[in-house]
Amino acid sequence: MSTPKRPSPSEQPDTPGPVQMLWLVAFGLLALMFLLTQQPDAPGATQTASYSDVKILIRHGDVREVTLQETAIIALLHEQRADGAIRMRAITPAQPDPTLLPLLEEMGVTVTAEAPRAPSTLIWFLPWILIIAFYFWLSRRMMGGLGGGLGGGVGGMGDFLSGRASKPAKLTSKLTFADVAGQDEAKREVSELVEFLRDPDRFQRVGATVPHGVLLMGPPGTGKTLLARALAGEADVPFFSTSGSEFVEMFVGVGAGRVRKMFEAARKHAPAIIFIDELDSIGRTRGTGLGGGHDEREQTLNQILAELDGFSAREAVVVLAATNRPDVLDPALLRPGRFDRHVTLSLPDKDARRAILEVHIKGLPLHHDVDLDQIAAGTPGFSGADLKNLLNEAAITAARRQAADITAADLDEARDKVMMGTVRTLAIQPDERHRLAVHEAGHTAAAYYNPGGDPIYKVTIIPRGRSLGSTHMLPAHDRHTLSEAYLRAQLVTLLAGRAAEKLLLGSVSSGADDDIRRATVLARSMVARWGMDPEIGPVDLRDSDDHPFLGQRIAQPRSYSDETATRVDQAVMVLLKDAEAKAVALIEEHRDRITRLVARLEAEETLDLPAIRQCLDPDRKITPLPRSRT
Ligand code: ADP
Ligand code: MG
Ligand code: ZN
């Protein structure tokens, strides 16, 4: 039984950063170049003069001696000064002067000629040496700097010059799950990996296969990167981290090489974690690039796939990846044996927001008028990162006021600022939020009062993925066949969100777009595939190959008459209109209770079944579990 290796905290050599290093080398070479071009000066004063002046001095007989260099002439005068001989230095004309030597001979001047200095040829090579060195440095750095966002750049020129092959950075993390507030579900799911990484033998002995590839998905700022680091900290294993965006714009082959090295290193240090952040920037569906411009990305992606496939069940290496665009990932990445375990992080609800605030107020001086509950309540749709940013903005506002602590007013101002910046990340405006609550309450009420469909278990107005709110229904059992009653109940539930908006708010919105689409696909299947319309009967009238729940349609040539097509359309419309009428009636009937549900949903954002029941069915007297009765 082995205990996980404890990596020493500072693995990284303490070399100057690669950029400083590059400047240092470039400066050194330039200085050398300058020195080489300078001629050594003899003692005494040297004055620069024009060539014709020097020639006049020679003709006047003032010059005792000349030194001819490749491009200059130095004349030593007869005249002396206290500090030594006087020298005149002049650049010789590019055209050799044929009168110079006869003149010198005539005046009896001693002539010394200096051979051109050998190093001057080196000067011509220096720029090339610089360029080549820079190229090597760049490619080394790309191969090496796996430290990415977590460790800072390692490797680089220092490595290149010392001939050391750059290694992926092995990092350790001091974070624990306590640093990740909320996200209980996600934490629970990854904590299994912690146990595995802490003691892989225990799992291997009983032949358990623990997933190698885990994909963390969720909107930006929900703590995916944070959770990955916390996982490494909890398991106390080394951590190799990279980000998909680092692979963009690399030389072909470099990315794949880096991936290979990183997996190699992780295997050597097993148990270990590999973390690939922003997987979508390399993991997009292949073959979509124009003109093969994505060769490099594809090679990198293929290398990742190959490495994932190459794991044996015994290897204690867990590959975590994070993305906020799981929808664009290449399906090959999600196949069994690859990133087949998915952990979803969602935007925090009110309690989670409060918990996140608690994590980040540590060390911040808060005025006593600050009420965290109130802030949590006033920030629906904020991600963990937004909340952290909110506190930071508030601190900046307070500092600008030169105040000693952060007041509720600072936080209010900061909230507006962050809100402006986060419209994009689904921060919801109050009126929009009310509509959302009404819409979701409609779905919930329909599912609750119109049994036959899937039972409801949770409703939320926390945005998730592309949808704003959601009503969660739990299939009572796996359904292999769908009864007509079940399908009709589903139609009512789907259309009830819109019906609630219409009845309680007096207008409908575009929020029901997806509901209508799904209901239509479902109704069309009922009529054209499952023969559920008595008039049309059991005829296969599909005009597309579609999946009633995924709502994907692949058009097919139609094999029936226009007239039949019209009848199918009419039957579909009848089904949908019936369902809508039923939904409207149902909401009308229970209007007061639904209004209560809306209010509570707005206050608490997420309601589970007991809470839903309290609103929709207050007389039922919620029966406590038999065991808890005393
Ligand atoms: P993502 O990778 O999902 O985009 P990050 O992990 O980079 O998000 O989150 C950015 C920052 O926001 C984190 O460093 C952390 O300070 C803060 N943060 C996000 N979620 C949480 C959370 N659940 N608990 C505490 N802090 C959080
Ligand atoms: Mg991240
Ligand atoms: Zn809806």
Side-chain angles (χ1 to χ4, degrees):
M1 192 155 131
S2 75
T3 43
K5 273 175 239 143
R6 270 174 181 276
S8 64
S10 66
E11 280 280 324
Q12 298 166 22
D14 194 19
T15 48
V19 175
Q20 288 100 302
M21 201 63 200
L22 182 75
W23 278 115
L24 222 69
V25 171
F27 184 77
L29 288 177
L30 276 175
L32 190 69
M33 215 162 133
F34 180 73
L35 283 179
L36 289 178
T37 48
Q38 286 307 93
Q39 300 296 339
D41 272 344
T46 301
Q47 292 167 16
T48 10
S50 69
Y51 180 69
S52 47
D53 284 350
V54 170
K55 239 177 140 180
I56 289 167
L57 286 171
I58 295 170
R59 198 167 285 135
H60 286 197
D62 292 341
V63 175
R64 175 150 58 102
E65 201 181 314
V66 299
T67 308
L68 295 176
Q69 293 178 341
E70 200 181 14
T71 57
I73 178 168
I74 298 170
L76 185 69
L77 305 192
H78 287 296
E79 194 184 339
Q80 294 260 334
R81 274 205 321 225
D83 53 346
I86 300 175
R87 282 191 181 75
M88 306 297 286
R89 186 172 191 275
I91 303 295
T92 42
Q95 291 290 327
D97 176 2
T99 63
L100 180 66
L101 278 175
L103 176 69
L104 288 169
E105 250 166 56
E106 188 195 325
M107 301 303 299
V109 178
T110 323
V111 176
T112 332
E114 267 180 16
R117 306 177 119 235
S120 60
T121 46
L122 182 65
I123 289 164
W124 301 108
F125 288 111
L126 269 175
W128 292 104
I129 292 172
L130 266 179
I131 288 167
I132 292 168
F134 182 70
Y135 173 84
F136 271 103
W137 171 77
L138 209 65
S139 55
R140 281 287 157 168
R141 188 175 144 70
M142 284 184 166
M143 295 281 258
L146 284 173
L150 292 156
V154 285
M157 193 56 117
D159 285 346
F160 169 58
L161 289 180
S162 61
R164 221 177 332 137
S166 54
K167 285 192 296 191
K170 188 172 88 178
L171 307 163
T172 49
S173 167
K174 296 260 178 303
L175 293 175
T176 64
F177 285 157
D179 295 297
V180 187
Q183 306 297 5
D184 296 328
E185 229 167 286
K187 281 196 275 189
R188 204 177 322 116
E189 285 182 60
V190 296
S191 59
E192 186 185 308
L193 298 171
V194 173
E195 285 187 40
F196 168 67
L197 287 165
R198 278 192 183 152
D199 186 3
D201 290 350
R202 177 155 60 96
F203 288 79
Q204 285 159 358
R205 237 179 290 126
V206 295
T209 319
V210 174
H212 283 301
V214 179
L215 183 62
L216 305 173
M217 21 195 225
T222 44
K224 299 179 292 295
T225 310
L226 185 69
L227 184 65
R229 294 173 62 192
L231 174 62
E234 286 278 332
D236 197 14
V237 297
F239 182 47
F240 296 86
S241 162
T242 186
S243 170
S245 54
E246 286 174 39
F247 289 100
V248 181
E249 311 264 309
M250 278 219 269
F251 301 126
V252 172
V254 173
R258 259 178 78 168
V259 168
R260 204 184 52 244
K261 277 202 175 157
M262 186 168 66
F263 276 78
E264 226 167 63
R267 285 188 162 109
K268 209 168 76 200
H269 292 284
I273 292 175
I274 290 176
F275 178 51
I276 307 174
D277 209 350
E278 295 167 46
L279 182 66
D280 44 291
S281 43
I282 24 173
R284 275 169 196 266
T285 309
R286 282 168 294 183
T288 50
L290 292 174
H294 294 283
D295 273 359
E296 170 53 17
R297 215 197 56 206
E298 290 195 8
Q299 277 195 16
T300 308
L301 175 56
N302 288 339
Q303 186 67 34
I304 291 175
L305 294 176
E307 295 287 350
L308 284 170
D309 290 343
F311 276 124
S312 73
R314 298 191 52 84
E315 270 168 306
V317 175
V318 167
V319 187
L320 282 178
T323 180
N324 44 36
R325 295 293 313 274
D327 51 318
V328 301
L329 288 184
D330 193 302
L333 273 169
L334 307 177
R335 287 212 195 104
R338 292 169 178 173
F339 291 107
D340 49 4
R341 171 85 60 106
H342 299 170
V343 175
T344 307
L345 286 89
S346 37
L347 286 172
D349 62 12
K350 201 169 79 186
D351 290 342
R353 287 200 297 271
R354 172 163 181 138
I356 293 170
L357 287 168
E358 304 252 359
V359 167
H360 292 288
I361 52 162
K362 281 188 198 118
L364 290 183
L366 289 187
H367 195 73
H368 57 77
D369 69 349
V370 172
D371 177 359
L372 286 189
D373 275 321
Q374 201 185 325
I375 301 169
T379 48
F382 274 48
S383 69
D386 291 336
L387 291 168
K388 184 183 174 185
N389 190 11
L390 170 83
L391 290 175
N392 188 43
E393 287 289 346
I396 290 172
T397 314
R400 213 180 285 139
R401 280 195 300 121
Q402 311 205 324
D405 50 14
I406 301 168
T407 62
D410 293 330
L411 281 155
D412 256 2
E413 195 182 324
R415 193 186 69 139
D416 292 344
K417 213 185 273 175
V418 176
M419 280 271 247
M420 300 276 215
T422 50
V423 190
R424 193 179 46 80
T425 65
L426 289 177
I428 307 158
Q429 305 303 316
D431 55 334
E432 205 185 352
R433 191 156 172 263
H434 180 60
R435 183 173 285 279
L436 196 58
V438 168
H439 181 100
E440 295 305 327
H443 286 308
T444 307
Y448 192 86
Y449 292 126
N450 187 30
D454 289 327
I456 183 143
Y457 78 97
K458 189 170 135 189
V459 57
T460 176
I461 52 170
I462 306 276
R464 196 175 294 251
R466 273 176 302 161
S467 70
L468 288 174
S470 49
T471 306
H472 298 254
M473 282 163 313
L474 191 69
H477 45 84
D478 280 348
R479 290 176 194 275
H480 301 295
T481 55
L482 309 166
S483 75
E484 189 179 338
Y486 166 82
L487 292 168
R488 282 180 183 272
Q490 280 307 80
L491 287 182
V492 174
T493 305
L494 279 171
L495 295 177
R498 189 182 123 96
E501 284 185 60
K502 202 153 127 187
L503 280 176
L504 302 187
L505 302 173
S507 64
V508 292
S509 72
S510 63
D513 180 65
D514 194 51
D515 298 335
I516 293 176
R517 190 181 54 79
R518 282 169 58 194
T520 309
V521 172
L522 192 61
R524 188 167 283 279
S525 292
M526 290 169 73
V527 174
R529 297 173 65 184
W530 303 325
M532 288 178 181
D533 185 85
E535 297 276 301
I536 292 173
V539 192
D540 181 358
L541 297 170
R542 269 179 275 197
D543 62 353
S544 61
D545 234 352
D546 52 15
H547 192 295
F549 294 107
L550 297 182
Q552 293 161 339
R553 300 186 63 165
I554 300 145
Q556 278 184 343
R558 211 175 62 194
S559 57
Y560 47 88
S561 67
D562 285 352
E563 196 220 324
T564 312
T566 314
R567 283 176 60 196
V568 170
D569 290 344
Q570 270 162 359
V572 168
M573 264 182 248
V574 168
L575 264 182
L576 290 174
K577 285 211 171 121
D578 279 357
E580 187 183 28
K582 197 153 180 195
V584 168
L586 199 140
I587 284 161
E588 194 78 84
E589 185 188 341
H590 301 285
R591 191 179 193 130
D592 294 345
R593 291 174 175 185
I594 294 170
T595 311
R596 197 158 30 184
L597 180 68
V598 171
R600 183 142 177 203
L601 193 50
E602 272 186 282
E604 293 175 32
E605 297 182 359
T606 303
L607 298 179
D608 54 7
L609 184 58
I612 295 168
R613 206 175 269 154
Q614 273 174 13
C615 297
L616 293 182
D617 208 358
D619 310 327
R620 182 185 146 130
K621 297 271 184 295
I622 304 172
T623 36
L625 290 171
R627 252 175 301 157
S628 65
R629 195 177 288 155
T630 43

